[in-house]
Amino acid sequence: MAKMTLEDLRKLRDERKKDLGRRDVEGKSVQIIVGMGTCGIAAGAKKTFDAILAAVEEFHLDKDVVIRQTGCMGLCYVEPTVEVAMPGMPATIYGKVDAAVAREIVQKHVVEKSLVENHIFDRPAADIIKR
Amino acid sequence: MAYKNFILVCGGTGCESSKADEIYKNLLAEAEAQGVKGEVQVVKTGCFGFCEKGPIVKVLPSESFYVEVKPSDAKEIISEQIVKGREVKRLLYKKEQQKDIVKLEDIEFYQKQFRIVLRNCGVINPENIEEYIARDGYAALEKVLFEMKPDDVIAELKTAGLRGRGGAGFPTWMKWDLTRKAAGDIKYVICNADEGDPGAYMDRSTIEGDPHSVLEAMTIAGYTIGSDKGFVYIRAEYPLAIERLKIAIAQSKAMGLLGDDILGSGFNFDIEIRLGAGAFVCGEETALMQSLEGKRGMPVPKPPFPAISGLWKKPTLINNVETYANVPVILTKGGSWFAKIGTEKSPGTKVFALTGKINNSGLVEVPMGTTLREIVFDIGGGIKDGKKFKGVQTGGPSGGIITEKDLDSPITYESLTALGSMMGSGGMIVMDEDDCVVDVSRFYMEFCVDESCGKCAPCRIGTNQMHSILTKISKSQGEMSDLDKLERIGKAMTKASLCLLGGSAANPTLSTLKHFRDEYLEHIQDRKCRAGKCKDLVVYSIDPEKCIGCGLCARRCPVNCITGEKKQAHVIDTSKCIKCGECFKVCKFNAVLKK
Ligand SMILES: Cc1cc2nc3c(=O)[nH]c(=O)nc-3n(C[C@H](O)[C@H](O)[C@H](O)COP(=O)(O)O)c2cc1C
Ligand code: FES
């Protein structure tokens, strides 16, 4: 990306805001977001990330799913944490997601559209940045 | 088949003990009975951080938040909400007339937490600048560079009332103003990301999760005080944070948000990373600047303050990571928006790293004025394993312990100081009945002995002396005169030390002496440690009445000092016992005694 002017920055922000609003990135409608702060990684977030990749492949979801990383959500006691956002399902945060649970999330939540019991947590605070 | 609704029943320890399980079962049964089993999925979730009003039930996608739900309410939730699509109004959480903590009308929220500093943590990809930009990132910089004069920025910070989050709570606008007015054409901006307080990781997480918020604020600071150079001083022990900072700086430079002629405004600003070796004293601002200059990290007397003569004797603005992370929000949303959050004298929020004997350990951000009870028992979900709460250490090795009786005081800079502790950077360690105050004080003093730079005598000698007295007490050799000595040395050190490392090193000891004097007396007079932490004061024995001779303890003992025939009472050879406590833990009959 080349250096931006004020105009460029504003344009980029508007475009990206629309992307966030649409909830689909690069034409993919399912977002799986893994918490990869030090706490998450220490608790095994990298293995979780790999397990999600493998499960996405296994269920042939490559075309629909984008996997992203983010920082610490604050739920350090249930790391690794994973958020799933997709049409038709409430945005959900899962905690204590090891490789097995990761696969279960892809299968149950993404494919079968039902929540995975016992691993759901609430986002700890409302978002002050309104889109 | 797809569900139309989801009912989340809190399965956290707080709610579980108040019948969450029964509610869950009733909901399932009612869904079946009313023929909507296929339309609604009932699941159990983790703690909602609202245990006080538990049991909690939340229905999605309508986001209905029900509190104090009873098992008998299940029928109505299903028949009203799932069958007829109407919320059960009577169970909905009604925002109480909040004290003066949160007065935000435009945001609907039930949570105790409120995230300004951590607004993007856990939301954006920290390695992608465009995601930061999409969430109003660099909008504050844009506004500052093209619409505001330096004085306007300072005025906005003054309206906001933001105070330093590095511990001392100095008004941020004043610091910026002093540095702006200081004479000199070369000035520096520093971000203090040393974070040496054991148990604290707020700054690390902020940088790992949202590095651009700090970079943006530093650039704004540069514009405001008239500086073109910033440094982030961060400890080498934070490799992931450093990596993300590097990526963020490179992306900002590539896009023209750092470097020469930012966004075509004519303003130049550059940021470099400087690594610290992880010394606690290097978090102190004057020592930090020494270290940044390549010298040994030792504090120098103030005044002159950094604002007048700081890095390489130039006027320098130094703020903490969290202080900076607030700045872009204040400038985009306005100082008066910010001033409405928190209390009058301590506006805004504070991030705490909640650790220790607590169910939901983690990073929490709450409006100032929230009580410790809310943090420990709602957000934190209470004490692990149903043990009894003993105290919370705030301010780490410089702070003190806050006990049960003060749990309801609102958290502000002033109130914590009045309680003999301090805000500190935000470490919050929860202790239960198994923690010994002598042991804890000794731990913090040991930390200060290790971390004292050795330059001034009160700190170098004082910490050592206090540490040896505390060790003596924990080793069953304490004398009554020791308590007086601890207090005298502590007070002298507090007064005479060069920097606040020594100046506050006595705090944990002095505060436990004040709140738990009886436990110190027990250690000295009765040679007893009720928490069983001071090994020299603990004796393990077996109650022959209760012991059934199962032999579990004997098999577990690492030094084989427990003997006895099968089905006969066993005995512990105290001369060989290393007091590891394993036998105490494994015994199913409470036959092992700890005295
Ligand atoms: C021993 C000692 C350690 C300190 N460690 C830190 C630290 O790790 N991070 C920090 O921001 N401030 C630390 N401080 C406070 C700094 O000296 C300084 O007050 C702070 O960086 C100012 O920033 P603020 O106004 O944004 O709070 C420490 C102070 C002392 C005496
Ligand atoms: S356990 Fe339910 S809200 Fe905390």
Side-chain angles (χ1 to χ4, degrees):
Chain A
M1 179 98 205
K3 286 199 176 187
M4 294 188 299
T5 62
L6 182 58
E7 294 310 308
D8 298 337
L9 175 61
R10 288 186 174 155
K11 216 171 115 217
L12 178 69
R13 182 177 301 118
D14 285 346
E15 278 170 26
R16 287 293 167 270
K17 261 193 187 169
K18 271 189 223 124
D19 284 354
L20 282 178
R22 265 212 317 268
R23 275 239 174 259
D24 54 7
V25 179
E26 302 157 17
K28 298 180 178 181
S29 60
V30 182
Q31 283 191 57
I32 302 181
I33 307 162
V34 186
M36 302 268 254
T38 294
C39 44
I41 293 171
K46 283 187 173 153
K47 279 199 191 119
T48 304
F49 197 96
D50 292 343
I52 296 174
L53 272 179
V56 164
E57 206 158 285
E58 182 189 343
F59 294 100
H60 310 290
L61 297 165
D62 321 39
K63 279 205 201 71
D64 309 315
V65 177
V66 45
I67 308 173
R68 298 167 49 216
Q69 64 163 345
T70 188
C72 166
M73 213 170 318
L75 302 170
C76 311
Y77 67 111
V78 290
E79 291 289 349
T81 52
V82 169
E83 183 180 355
V84 187
M86 59 186 280
M89 291 290 283
T92 309
I93 293 167
Y94 289 105
K96 296 192 195 164
V97 183
D98 58 16
V101 178
R103 185 179 176 279
E104 206 180 331
I105 290 174
V106 173
Q107 181 179 12
K108 291 219 174 109
H109 190 116
V110 181
V111 180
E112 297 168 13
K113 299 205 163 145
S114 71
L115 300 175
V116 178
E117 189 105 14
N118 291 326
H119 288 273
I120 300 171
F121 290 83
D122 201 24
R123 185 171 283 290
D127 189 0
I128 61 160
I129 313 278
K130 283 195 222 132
R131 287 169 186 159
Chain B
M1 175 213 72
Y3 296 113
K4 292 199 194 91
N5 290 284
F6 300 91
I7 304 183
L8 313 181
V9 182
C10 180
T13 24
C15 290
E16 192 88 317
S17 57
S18 53
K19 305 222 162 109
D21 206 35
E22 222 179 308
I23 297 172
Y24 170 77
K25 286 192 189 120
N26 287 3
L27 283 167
L28 282 179
E30 283 296 333
E32 170 107 59
Q34 302 188 29
V36 285
K37 212 177 120 202
E39 286 170 38
V40 60
Q41 186 185 9
V42 185
V43 289
K44 273 206 207 174
T45 70
C47 175
F48 279 97
F50 216 81
C51 315
E52 174 202 347
K53 290 248 181 287
I56 308 283
V57 171
K58 187 174 176 181
V59 184
L60 295 173
S62 63
E63 299 266 330
S64 317
F65 192 75
Y66 297 134
V67 295
E68 294 177 336
V69 179
K70 287 186 216 60
S72 56
D73 295 327
K75 190 168 178 180
E76 199 176 338
I77 294 178
I78 299 289
S79 67
E80 279 297 299
Q81 185 141 29
I82 308 305
V83 179
K84 299 186 196 140
R86 296 192 294 232
E87 289 188 315
V88 185
K89 291 250 158 42
R90 116 193 122 75
L91 295 173
L92 278 179
Y93 172 59
K94 291 174 206 66
K95 242 193 300 177
E96 291 155 30
Q97 277 313 322
Q98 293 265 17
K99 295 146 251 182
D100 51 352
I101 300 175
V102 185
K103 297 169 276 185
L104 288 170
E105 312 309 336
D106 53 335
I107 296 179
E108 192 59 43
F109 63 95
Y110 52 84
Q111 285 121 322
K112 301 260 171 186
Q113 294 202 55
F114 191 75
R115 301 188 131 195
I116 297 176
V117 174
L118 302 176
R119 61 192 176 278
N120 289 325
C121 288
V123 178
I124 63 167
N125 178 352
E127 297 181 9
N128 182 345
I129 187 171
E130 297 190 8
E131 294 195 16
Y132 178 70
I133 291 174
R135 289 178 51 87
D136 290 339
Y138 290 104
L141 179 65
E142 195 183 299
K143 191 168 163 189
V144 166
L145 290 181
F146 295 96
E147 294 166 28
M148 295 172 89
K149 295 199 179 58
D151 281 336
D152 302 334
V153 177
I154 289 169
E156 206 63 53
L157 288 179
K158 189 173 177 180
T159 310
L162 176 65
R163 298 170 64 178
R165 300 295 195 242
F170 191 80
T172 305
W173 73 269
M174 222 187 262
K175 229 184 217 183
W176 288 37
D177 199 36
L178 286 171
T179 327
R180 165 170 159 66
K181 289 185 178 142
D185 34 338
I186 298 178
K187 297 182 185 177
Y188 297 107
V189 173
I190 298 178
C191 172
N192 186 345
D194 188 61
E195 196 164 54
D197 174 354
Y201 57 95
M202 304 76 51
D203 295 348
R204 185 193 75 203
S205 297
T206 306
I207 293 181
E208 282 176 4
D210 193 15
H212 286 285
S213 65
V214 175
L215 300 182
E216 182 180 2
M218 288 177 72
T219 312
I220 292 171
Y223 172 80
T224 308
I225 66 161
S227 157
D228 62 2
K229 183 91 199 170
F231 294 96
V232 180
Y233 185 89
I234 183 166
R235 51 177 53 217
E237 290 153 28
Y238 283 180
L240 184 63
I242 295 166
E243 185 55 32
R244 297 225 165 118
L245 259 184
K246 281 188 187 158
I247 294 172
I249 291 176
Q251 289 180 347
S252 295
K253 279 192 184 160
M255 295 182 93
L257 292 161
L258 268 182
D260 289 346
D261 193 19
I262 295 175
L263 293 174
S265 66
F267 172 65
N268 309 331
F269 194 73
D270 196 19
I271 296 178
E272 278 182 37
I273 301 173
R274 285 287 189 277
L275 302 188
F280 182 51
V281 76
C282 287
E284 196 280 334
E285 53 192 22
T286 60
L288 184 152
M289 289 186 288
Q290 294 281 312
S291 165
L292 228 161
E293 289 177 17
K295 300 181 193 141
R296 182 171 162 188
M298 289 199 290
V300 292
K302 288 187 278 193
F305 288 96
I308 308 300
S309 170
L311 191 60
W312 291 298
K313 302 224 172 346
K314 304 294 178 197
T316 303
L317 174 74
I318 174 162
N319 277 123
N320 164 263
V321 171
E322 191 180 332
T323 314
Y324 281 124
N326 277 294
V327 170
V329 179
I330 291 176
L331 293 168
T332 43
K333 291 195 176 271
S336 47
W337 177 87
F338 187 85
K340 276 191 260 167
I341 304 154
T343 69
E344 200 185 331
K345 283 192 178 159
S346 304
T349 59
K350 180 77 195 83
V351 183
F352 291 102
L354 190 59
T355 56
K357 307 288 179 57
I358 184 110
N359 277 318
N360 311 342
S361 58
L363 265 198
V364 307
E365 180 170 355
V366 290
M368 294 271 193
T370 302
T371 66
L372 273 167
R373 190 182 298 282
E374 289 171 292
I375 295 185
V376 174
F377 289 97
D378 283 333
I379 299 171
I383 311 300
K384 267 195 188 152
D385 304 327
K387 298 259 177 164
K388 203 167 163 294
F389 171 83
K390 183 164 199 167
V392 187
Q393 179 85 10
T394 66
S398 314
I401 192 165
I402 294 172
T403 59
E404 176 83 40
K405 75 177 182 5
D406 297 317
L407 272 183
D408 289 311
S409 38
I411 298 173
T412 64
Y413 290 98
E414 283 73 24
S415 71
L416 290 185
T417 309
L419 294 175
S421 181
M422 63 174 226
M423 182 76 78
S425 51
M428 199 173 257
I429 302 176
V430 179
M431 294 178 233
D432 70 3
E433 56 192 307
D434 292 339
D435 289 305
C436 163
V437 289
V438 178
D439 188 58
V440 169
S441 305
R442 199 177 56 87
F443 166 79
Y444 282 121
M445 198 53 78
E446 188 170 311
F447 179 81
C448 291
V449 170
D450 286 346
E451 296 293 336
S452 169
C453 77
K455 184 170 176 176
C456 76
C459 171
R460 182 182 66 238
I461 303 172
T463 51
N464 241 307
Q465 287 304 321
M466 286 184 77
H467 181 251
S468 57
I469 295 175
L470 288 166
T471 307
K472 196 175 132 197
I473 296 176
S474 72
K475 286 212 182 298
S476 182
Q477 292 151 6
E479 297 161 62
M480 281 308 287
S481 61
D482 286 338
L483 297 186
D484 187 42
K485 273 188 208 150
L486 280 176
E487 269 163 346
R488 273 171 41 216
I489 302 172
K491 279 180 190 151
M493 209 159 79
T494 305
K495 270 200 178 145
S497 294
L498 174 59
C499 83
L500 270 175
L501 194 161
S504 56
N507 283 354
T509 309
L510 295 180
S511 107
T512 47
L513 263 173
K514 185 169 144 210
H515 293 295
F516 295 98
R517 203 176 184 86
D518 52 331
E519 285 190 32
Y520 278 88
L521 290 177
E522 266 172 27
H523 278 74
I524 296 171
Q525 292 175 330
D526 312 337
R527 303 282 182 224
K528 219 180 111 184
C529 171
R530 66 169 87 165
K533 273 271 143 72
C534 300
K535 290 196 173 151
D536 290 296
L537 294 172
V538 186
V539 181
Y540 288 98
S541 60
I542 292 174
D543 182 348
E545 300 283 302
K546 286 190 181 159
C547 179
I548 63 148
C550 71
L552 188 57
C553 57
R555 285 197 296 278
R556 199 48 89 77
C557 177
V559 291
N560 296 323
C561 73
I562 305 179
T563 48
E565 293 297 314
K566 248 202 176 117
K567 300 202 173 142
Q568 300 291 314
H570 282 44
V571 281
I572 297 178
D573 179 352
T574 45
S575 66
K576 280 202 234 150
C577 173
I578 56 162
K579 300 175 187 180
C580 65
E582 278 302 313
C583 51
F584 182 78
K585 269 188 247 156
V586 297
C587 182
K588 296 191 179 84
F589 308 96
N590 294 324
V592 178
L593 308 172
K594 178 161 97 170
K595 262 198 302 227

